[in-house]
Amino acid sequence: MIRNIVLVHGGFVDGSGWQAVYDLLVADGFRVSVVQNPTLSLAGDVATTHQAIDALDGSCVLVGHSYGGVVISEAGTHPNVAALVYIAAFAPDKGESVNTLIADPPPGAPVPPILPPVNGFLFLDRDKFAASFAGDLPVDQAAFMADSQVPWGVDALGGTVTEPAWRAKPSWYLVATDDRMIPPPAQHAMAQRAGATIAETPGSHSVYLSQPAAVADLIRQAAS
């Protein structure tokens, strides 16, 4: 059993969204770290994640949500990473980035309401945030998330993976079946390509907030 868990957030949000998952895992005796990525560049976020891994005593399970899946795919080659868990996340192959993975959406797939970049940063349309990112959360919580967005650097979306960790390490993937940011069929395709153990749960892109028990359960599986 691996006792260390490292949680990596995605774009537009910060690490505080992991609290419900964090609380469940800590109650089970896990040592949980939450990475606060600057989301300025993939290289910078990988360095921040490596810093968290280096601070641990022993091996860990590395968990990523959304863009955090790109981060763990690159950072997960760290020798202390034993397993990877993708939560409604991008799971890129060598040479891929968020930009390449979203370049050709399936017909009829919802298009995330990303506004044009301003000074090198992206935001989601505040008025469309809830429907796209947090459709199964209370209205007040979704509104707070829309108003507290973290600027997502354009360079982070363009950062390409050099050697995906899932090629060498076991991985798990939780598909959020009501996701309107990363289409569920795309989640399935990436998970299957990675050879991941796949679980499904009803949930929006904010599945780690709305379904923390399902998320924590899959992380426990990876840790065991």
Side-chain angles (χ1 to χ4, degrees), residues 1-7 21 25 28 30 59-64 72 80-87 169-174 195-199 213-224:
M1 174 72 79
I2 300 161
R3 303 312 302 178
N4 294 313
I5 312 292
V6 177
L7 305 174
V21 173
L25 294 172
D28 282 345
F30 289 100
S59 59
C60 70
V61 174
L62 190 57
V63 184
I72 71 170
N80 286 353
V81 174
L84 307 164
V85 181
Y86 294 85
I87 306 298
K169 300 183 181 184
S171 60
W172 282 255
Y173 196 110
L174 183 65
T197 299
I198 302 172
V215 173
D217 184 56
L218 194 64
I219 295 170
R220 289 188 199 101
Q221 287 183 40
S224 65

Side-chain angles (χ1 to χ4, degrees), residues 9-12 39-42 45 65-74 86 88-105 112 114 122 124 133 152-162 181-183 186 190 193 205:
H9 66 81
F12 303 120
T39 59
L40 299 176
S41 70
L42 177 59
D45 295 336
H65 168 253
S66 191
Y67 161 72
V70 183
V71 178
I72 71 170
S73 295
E74 182 76 0
Y86 294 85
F90 294 106
D93 203 346
K94 183 174 183 176
E96 291 182 342
S97 65
V98 171
N99 281 342
T100 63
L101 289 171
I102 66 174
D104 190 21
I114 301 173
L122 297 170
L124 289 180
F133 202 99
W152 193 3
V154 170
D155 289 347
L157 277 77
T160 56
V161 169
T162 58
M181 291 291 293
I182 304 177
M190 289 185 288
R193 180 176 67 173
H205 197 56

Side-chain angles (χ1 to χ4, degrees), residues 113-119 121-123 154:
I114 301 173
L115 298 171
V118 176
N119 298 323
F121 292 97
L122 297 170
F123 290 92
V154 170

Side-chain angles (χ1 to χ4, degrees), residues 194-209:
T197 299
I198 302 172
E200 277 192 1
T201 189
S204 71
H205 197 56
S206 296
V207 65
Y208 63 116
L209 283 156

